């Protein structure tokens, strides 16, 4: 993955920049020694690393405004960073950039149960937003797997999803407002504790803009009352086609499960060897979870089980207790770890129409043979968001490149069948050069024109999202 | 009236035009009369392109009548979850509401409070910008973070940025049963508190409205057993009577109590607990609370500037119906703070560099060349 060559003119400004940053920030908030900037050299896409020129750790919106004003005046690129858990390289620095990390900004500013929202600083972690309201039986719905660590700032930048978004939606559906700092230091309030702002939906385009339009410092988030309970049913099938049909039939029947998770045979086997959850040895496994009171759960599970039986499952296990639920989820929750035990892996994130599931899984199997790399599939089947895990050996020369080529083929396949490159991880640098497969040049141009409006000099996270060749003229301007 | 019959023709017309165009679907949601602007309607682009019930997906050309879409979905036991209102009764307009109009105005009904707005169910758009370019964003899948979300930007843009040619939606199953818990005798503040209690319960209230003089209404939908249970729990919590009819919600959605009445109509979006106090300051002739109090419809004496009357307040007020003099004097939409107005105007310049799209909120935008 290429990154632009660091600009020597900017590198030469380092000492002056540090000096100016220290006029607005305390010493411990400006990290500029080479040994220390290394802590920010990568995010969760660890194959790519590059220490930034400087990292800054603001505590307030005013700090962020001061930092951006200085960087804007000096023409220094800024890469915003939440907790650094991006799988797409969204927070990967360049050698001539300032990393702006919001981790110190983690306060809860307001909780309002009557109107059902919280306002937090954007460095707060996803899970700790729920943590702040759970004693009153409320929760924040989007639940990316990294929720223990990932920050709301990153969730907003990537429009993160999670396992439960079939019912509750993704970040953009749960975000009511933001305080954001524009590249010149201007602080703006967009949306708030009320619905559907007037004029153009700026909040909608900011969410998912990968830190390229501004730095979000505070967020107003919708919170929901916890359901009375939740229980899953596990079902095994002897073909992916049948499992796919079963998903479709459940959805058509009017049941809206909170999650429908799918695992294929390679993933089931790896998981069994690792976590011993007692999963059946079959082609495809579904975990379907529903919510409500005990009686409501029984009512929904009864309908789901009746549908599953029509598809001759090789296994059907309905949870009747918290203990049984935990056993059913155990394998699914250890799937990534199990695959990681076997080898290094790359996790993809393409989304496809649910109806294309069997075809896409078959093609991935064929390609796996052609590339000679194993792949396991574990994903959110209800919304077609796939997570193929390609196994490779990072220490074997050429294996990473082979894996990336295989991954690119899978993503092209997702686009071909009517889907997209990324359902919840974001483009970052990882899928940047594949954008031309999903978008015509003019479709990319109008997106870049949006960035032109917010950040005319392309200083915010400039080398991400768009193919470098497509954004070159703008970045150079 | 210009009526392109295909997306390609739409692009040609826009590329060739030298004068401002007022873009409509069926024209049923227009607040300001058409005047002398040339009118372009997307109603010639009609038809459902794809409906996959098992994927909860529907794709349609922008001019497709809402009625046709609702019928196709109903045949598969599905619906548009955000419950778009029909503006004809309130605005006294004629014509056929189109799905593109729903998207362009981000029209959502009572269920918005629980499931989200039109913009939350919109998966993808195709549109023609002011330069005559055919553009696309999003797609037909439910989770998609590939590139910027211009889908949201187009929803509610009211023709400022482009002409929609095709839209795709996530749809949801229709419930087996719908019931309403009706509370009587509550004043506005007590009603908003009761609705907040209902919405903060685990019982999945899908509508919460207060119609002064008629009652306070909380809607429960789903499978029969579940609905009976949840309605029972809510009633134990709040009292009231259970009503089986769903007709009430069409009246609330379409603001039926104001249809025949004289006066200006305003739509106020605020934090629900602020609503009763603001209503008291507004001195309205009549009000209808939806979204648990987060949306208030107000009928005001002609010519009243509601925003000035209740300022300062958090939220926004939209003028929905008024006489020509008032429409000329007061902006339809809540004016944005300067930095946001600059961003919005910058976006319009990019999407419509020649100033072709004359919207009802901004009919005099000059054509540059």
């Amino acid at each position: 993955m290429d990154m632009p060559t660091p600009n020597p003119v900017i590198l030469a400004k380092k000492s002056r920049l540090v000096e100016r940053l220290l006029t607005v920030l305390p010493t411990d908030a400006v990290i500029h020694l080479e040994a220390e900037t290394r802590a920010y050299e990568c995010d969760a896409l660890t194959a790519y690393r590059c220490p930034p020129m400087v990292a800054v750790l603001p505590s307030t919106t005013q700090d962020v405004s001061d930092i951006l004003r200085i960087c804007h005046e000096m023409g220094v690129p800024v890469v915003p960073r939440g907790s650094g858990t991006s799988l797409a390289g969204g927070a990967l620095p360049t050698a001539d950039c300032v990393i702006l990390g919001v981790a110190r900004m983690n306060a809860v500013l307001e909780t309002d149960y009557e109107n059902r929202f919280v306002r937090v600083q954007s460095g707060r972690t996803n899970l700790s937003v729920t943590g702040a309201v759970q004693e009153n039986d409320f929760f924040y719905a989007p639940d990316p797997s990294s929720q223990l660590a990932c920050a709301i700032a990153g969730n907003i930048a990537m429009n993160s999803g999670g396992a439960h978004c079939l019912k509750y939606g993704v970040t953009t559906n749960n975000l009511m407002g933001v305080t954001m700092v524009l590249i010149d230091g201007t602080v703006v309030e967009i949306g708030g504790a009320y619905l559907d702002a007037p004029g153009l939906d700026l909040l909608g385009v900011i969410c998912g803009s990968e830190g390229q339009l501004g730095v979000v410092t505070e967020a107003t988030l919708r919170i929901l009352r916890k359901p009375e309970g939740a229980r899953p049913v596990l079902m095994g099938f002897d073909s992916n086609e049948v499992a796919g049909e079963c998903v479709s039939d459940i959805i058509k029947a009017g049941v809206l499960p909170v999650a429908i998770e799918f695992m294929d045979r390679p993933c089931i086997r790896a998981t069994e060897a690792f976590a011993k959850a007692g999963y059946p040895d079959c082609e495809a496994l579904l975990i379907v979870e529903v919510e409500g009171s005990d009686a409501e759960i029984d009512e929904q599970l009864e309908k789901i089980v009746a549908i599953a039986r029509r598809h001759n499952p090789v296994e059907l296990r309905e949870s009747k207790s918290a203990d049984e639920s935990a056993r059913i989820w155990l394998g699914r929750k250890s799937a990534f770890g199990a695959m990681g035990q076997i080898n290094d892996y790359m996790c993809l994130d393409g989304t496809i129409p649910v109806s294309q599931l069997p075809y896409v899984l078959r093609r991935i199997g064929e390609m796996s043979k052609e590339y000679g790399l194993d792949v396991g599939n574990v994903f959110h089947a209800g919304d077609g968001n796939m997570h193929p895990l390609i196994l490779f050996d990072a220490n074997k020369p050429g294996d990473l490149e082979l894996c990336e080529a295989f991954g690119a083929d899978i993503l092209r396949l997702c686009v071909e069948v009517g889907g997209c490159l990324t359902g919840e991880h974001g483009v970052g640098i990882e899928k940047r050069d594949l954008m031309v497969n999903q978008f015509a040049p003019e479709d990319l141009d109008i997106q870049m024109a949006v960035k032109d409006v917010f950040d005319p000099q392309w200083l915010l996270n400039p080398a991400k999202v768009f193919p470098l060749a497509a954004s070159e003229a703008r970045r150079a301007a | 009236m210009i009526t392109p019959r295909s997306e390609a023709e739409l692009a040609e017309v826009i590329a060739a035009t030298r004068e401002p165009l007022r873009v409509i679907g069926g024209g049923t949601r227009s607040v300001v009369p058409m005047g002398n602007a040339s009118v372009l309607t997307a109603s010639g682009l009609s038809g459902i392109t794809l409906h996959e019930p098992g994927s909860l997906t529907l794709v349609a050309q922008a001019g497709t009548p809402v009625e046709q879409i609702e019928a196709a979905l109903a045949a598969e036991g599905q619906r548009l979850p955000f419950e778009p209102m029909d503006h004809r009764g309130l605005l006294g307009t004629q014509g056929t509401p189109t799905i593109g109009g729903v998207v362009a105005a981000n029209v959502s009904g009572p269920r918005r409070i629980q499931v989200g707005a039109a913009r939350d169910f919109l998966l993808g758009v195709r549109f023609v910008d002011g330069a005559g370019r055919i553009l696309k964003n999003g797609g037909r899948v439910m989770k998609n973070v590939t590139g910027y979300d211009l889908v949201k930007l187009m929803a509610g843009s009211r023709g400022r940025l482009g002409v929609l040619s095709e839209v795709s939606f996530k749809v949801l199953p229709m419930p087996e049963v719908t019931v309403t818990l009706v509370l009587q005798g509550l004043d506005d503040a007590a009603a908003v508190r009761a609705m907040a209690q209902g919405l903060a319960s685990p019982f999945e209230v899908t509508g919460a409205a207060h119609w002064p003089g008629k009652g306070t209404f909380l809607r429960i939908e789903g499978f029969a057993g579940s609905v009976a249970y949840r309605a029972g729990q809510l009633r134990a919590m709040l009292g009231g009577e259970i009503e089986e009819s769903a007709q009430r919600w069409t009246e609330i959605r379409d603001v039926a109590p104001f249809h025949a009445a004289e006066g200006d109509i305003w739509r106020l979006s605020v934090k629900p607990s602020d609503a009763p106090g603001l209503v008291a300051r507004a001195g309205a002739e009549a009000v209808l609370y939806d979204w648990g109090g987060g949306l208030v419809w107000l009928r005001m004496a002609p010519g009243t500037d509601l925003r000035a009357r209740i300022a300062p307040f958090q939220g926004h007020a939209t003028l929905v119906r008024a006489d020509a003099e008032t429409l000329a004097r007061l902006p339809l939409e809540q004016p944005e703070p300067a930095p946001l107005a600059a961003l919005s105007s910058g976006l319009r310049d990019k999407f419509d560099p020649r100033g072709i799209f004359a919207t009802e909120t901004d009919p005099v935008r000059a054509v540059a060349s």
Side-chain angles (χ1 to χ4, degrees):
Chain A
M1 223 64 72
D2 292 333
M3 289 298 275
T5 315
N7 184 339
V9 178
I10 295 172
L11 291 172
K13 294 179 187 173
K14 179 172 175 177
S15 57
R16 175 71 188 128
L17 174 69
V18 169
E19 208 174 280
R20 286 197 63 185
L21 289 170
L22 284 169
T23 63
V24 295
L25 295 172
T27 317
D28 72 345
V30 183
I31 292 151
H32 57 92
L33 299 176
E34 266 174 54
E36 291 171 8
T37 53
R38 197 159 288 280
Y40 299 90
E41 68 180 358
C42 71
D43 53 24
L45 184 70
T46 52
Y48 297 92
R49 293 162 194 266
C50 171
M53 179 163 67
V54 178
V56 287
L57 303 172
S59 298
T60 63
T61 299
Q62 184 58 50
D63 287 350
V64 174
S65 169
D66 290 338
I67 293 163
L68 290 181
R69 181 175 40 78
I70 290 168
C71 291
H72 181 243
E73 281 170 13
M74 297 184 69
V76 178
V78 176
V79 174
R81 178 183 165 106
S83 297
T85 58
S86 173
L87 291 165
L92 178 73
T94 50
D96 57 4
C97 88
V98 169
I99 282 278
L100 190 161
V102 293
R104 286 186 183 173
M105 302 177 60
N106 60 6
V108 175
L109 303 168
E110 188 181 1
T111 52
D112 184 333
Y113 297 106
E114 195 180 357
N115 296 299
R116 300 172 308 284
F117 71 88
V118 290
R119 201 159 55 83
V120 299
Q121 283 188 306
S122 65
R124 193 165 181 89
T125 60
N126 175 293
L127 196 59
S128 73
V129 172
T130 290
V133 295
Q134 66 186 4
E135 63 177 13
N136 286 295
D137 286 329
F138 277 77
F139 73 111
Y140 174 60
D143 59 342
S145 337
S146 58
Q147 67 178 155
L148 188 63
C150 65
I152 291 298
N155 289 182
I156 293 170
M158 295 310 198
N159 189 15
S160 303
H164 292 79
C165 44
L166 183 59
K167 180 170 177 188
Y168 295 114
V170 296
T171 301
T172 191
N173 312 115
N174 292 277
L175 177 67
M176 300 172 72
V178 294
T179 300
M180 187 173 88
V181 186
L182 302 176
I183 184 64
D184 66 358
T186 307
V187 179
V188 294
E189 298 282 343
I190 303 177
Y194 46 85
L195 298 171
D196 303 340
L200 296 177
D201 189 352
L202 300 175
L203 185 63
V205 76
I206 285 158
C207 189
S209 63
E210 307 207 6
Q212 292 196 308
L213 302 185
V215 177
V216 171
T217 57
E218 294 173 14
T220 304
L221 307 169
R222 182 170 82 127
I223 52 170
L224 300 171
R225 178 66 181 266
K226 274 198 184 128
E228 291 180 86
R231 263 188 281 132
V233 55
L234 176 147
M235 38 186 111
F237 296 95
D238 54 17
S239 87
N240 289 327
E241 277 84 355
V242 176
E245 278 164 25
C246 185
V247 169
S248 180
D249 285 352
I250 290 169
I251 288 173
K252 269 194 283 194
V255 191
L256 190 64
V258 66
I260 305 181
E261 297 291 298
F262 189 120
M263 289 168 74
D264 69 356
R265 186 188 284 275
C267 204
I268 298 167
R269 287 201 167 156
T271 301
E272 258 323 278
F274 178 67
K276 301 188 177 52
Y279 284 178
D281 186 30
C282 57
E283 270 318 303
L285 187 148
L286 295 178
I287 298 173
V288 183
E289 180 155 278
V290 295
E291 290 179 340
S293 66
D294 257 348
E296 286 178 282
I297 290 173
D298 287 340
E299 186 182 22
Q300 295 173 79
L301 287 185
E302 194 184 307
K303 288 179 202 290
I304 290 170
V305 165
I307 292 165
R309 284 199 199 288
R310 294 208 301 268
H311 294 283
N312 302 314
V314 297
E315 171 118 357
L316 198 54
R317 199 193 302 163
E318 201 178 320
S319 162
K320 293 286 185 198
S321 68
D323 189 49
E324 285 173 22
S325 297
R327 293 237 323 277
I328 287 176
W329 277 110
L330 174 66
R332 167 63 184 88
K333 291 193 169 162
S334 10
F336 282 48
M339 297 295 281
Q341 284 283 303
I342 302 175
N343 218 329
D344 300 302
Y345 67 78
M346 184 166 110
C347 173
L348 300 176
D349 172 44
T351 304
I352 56 168
V354 179
S355 54
Q356 297 290 329
L357 217 50
Y359 170 71
V360 170
L361 287 173
R362 193 166 67 241
R363 281 292 298 134
I364 290 176
E366 290 163 8
M367 286 191 273
S368 164
K369 290 199 183 79
E370 287 161 26
Y371 276 95
L373 293 175
D374 286 332
V375 55
N377 283 287
V378 48
F379 55 90
H380 317 306
D383 45 33
N385 188 192
M386 307 194 64
H387 288 310
L389 301 171
I390 307 173
L391 295 171
F392 71 104
D393 182 352
N395 294 319
K396 187 172 154 194
D399 232 29
L400 171 65
E401 290 72 17
L402 192 65
C403 174
E404 285 183 342
F406 183 12
D409 274 349
I410 291 176
L411 294 182
R412 276 188 280 264
L413 172 66
C414 290
V415 173
E416 241 167 66
V417 301
C420 66
L421 298 172
T422 171
E424 57 185 3
H425 294 173
V427 178
I429 59 158
E430 191 201 16
K431 282 147 296 208
R432 192 185 60 191
D433 298 317
L434 291 170
M435 290 288 273
V436 293
N437 292 285
Q438 187 170 333
F439 295 108
E442 58 271 24
D443 298 329
L444 288 174
D445 187 70
I446 195 75
Q447 293 180 40
M448 290 190 286
V450 170
K451 181 163 173 62
D452 293 340
V453 172
F454 283 81
D455 176 22
Q457 292 161 277
W458 278 61
L459 291 173
L460 281 165
N461 218 6
K464 312 288 168 67
V465 183
F466 304 103
L468 288 183
S471 65
E472 189 176 12
R474 289 173 149 96
R475 283 181 291 110
Chain B
M1 186 97 79
I2 309 163
T3 313
R5 297 287 161 186
S6 69
E7 187 182 64
E9 192 187 334
L10 170 66
E12 280 167 30
V13 169
I14 292 175
T17 193
R18 291 288 171 266
E19 55 175 354
L21 293 172
R22 174 88 179 267
V23 181
I24 63 168
T28 65
R29 304 181 202 276
S30 298
V31 176
V32 181
M34 300 297 167
N36 294 326
S38 298
V39 176
L40 182 151
T41 173
S43 61
L45 309 172
S46 185
I48 293 169
T49 320
L50 174 137
H51 178 202
E52 262 183 31
S55 307
L56 300 175
T57 314
L58 179 129
V59 185
Q61 293 190 66
T64 311
V66 176
E67 214 174 15
Q68 187 184 334
I69 285 172
E70 286 178 335
L73 288 172
E76 295 287 345
Q78 298 184 333
R79 65 181 178 188
L80 294 171
F82 51 91
E83 207 177 2
M85 83 177 274
D86 181 341
H87 277 81
R88 287 176 293 188
L90 188 64
L91 298 178
T93 47
Q94 309 284 319
T96 306
T98 65
I99 195 66
V102 167
V103 169
N106 189 27
V107 181
S108 318
R111 205 172 292 107
R112 196 262 174 268
I113 189 66
Q114 199 230 1
V115 302
R119 53 92 93 174
D120 294 297
F121 288 88
L122 187 66
L123 303 176
V125 290
R126 292 179 64 88
F127 64 99
V128 176
D129 74 358
R133 299 188 295 181
I134 298 173
L135 302 171
K136 63 174 184 299
N137 194 262
R140 52 159 295 198
V141 289
M142 279 185 221
K143 278 167 83 180
N144 186 347
V145 296
T146 320
Y148 293 172
D149 192 349
L150 305 186
V151 173
K152 300 284 183 302
L153 195 61
M154 293 305 292
S157 63
R158 297 194 82 101
R160 291 171 176 89
L161 303 178
V163 184
L164 294 163
S165 52
E166 189 179 78
V167 290
S168 47
F169 286 101
K170 173 182 176 179
V171 299
L172 286 179
M174 253 192 229
E176 194 174 89
V177 177
T178 300
V179 304
T180 304
L181 179 68
V182 187
L183 312 176
Q184 294 294 353
L186 301 180
D187 64 25
D188 292 7
V192 168
R193 279 198 301 275
M195 291 191 286
Q197 264 184 285
L199 289 164
S201 77
F203 307 125
E204 299 193 349
V205 171
T206 69
H210 175 59
W211 185 339
K214 288 251 186 178
T216 308
F217 306 97
L218 293 111
R219 180 172 59 186
I220 304 283
E221 300 173 292
F223 290 117
S226 166
V227 166
Y229 166 76
R230 286 182 284 140
Q233 292 292 106
L234 264 188
R235 191 178 173 198
M237 197 165 93
L238 301 169
E241 298 299 324
I242 306 286
E243 179 182 273
E244 311 253 317
S245 159
Q247 177 58 32
R248 176 90 60 198
W249 293 98
T250 309
E251 293 168 9
I252 292 166
R253 183 194 77 181
D254 295 343
V255 205
F258 295 175
H259 284 193
E262 295 287 316
D264 294 354
I265 308 291
W266 289 79
R267 191 175 178 276
L268 183 63
S269 179
V270 292
K271 187 161 78 177
S273 61
D274 287 351
L278 291 170
V279 164
R281 272 193 350 235
E285 289 173 352
V287 295
L288 175 68
Y289 293 82
D290 197 354
W291 300 355
L295 171 66
V296 191
W297 295 94
L298 301 97
R299 186 159 60 76
M300 305 289 297
T304 315
D305 183 351
L306 173 67
R307 296 181 194 111
R309 189 86 53 106
I310 62 175
F313 73 105
Q314 276 183 32
H316 54 97
T318 307
L319 182 54
V320 177
R321 188 184 83 187
D323 60 28
E325 184 276 324
T326 308
L327 289 173
R329 181 164 51 87
L330 299 176
L332 296 189
E333 290 177 335
Q334 181 86 27
E336 293 174 298
L340 297 187
L343 292 172
S344 296
S345 153
L347 289 170
R348 283 187 77 178
D349 290 344
K350 295 289 183 188
F351 282 71
D352 179 22
R354 298 182 299 149
I356 290 297
F357 299 129
T359 70
E360 57 189 338
T361 50
D362 187 6
V364 292
R365 195 159 175 261
V367 180
S369 62

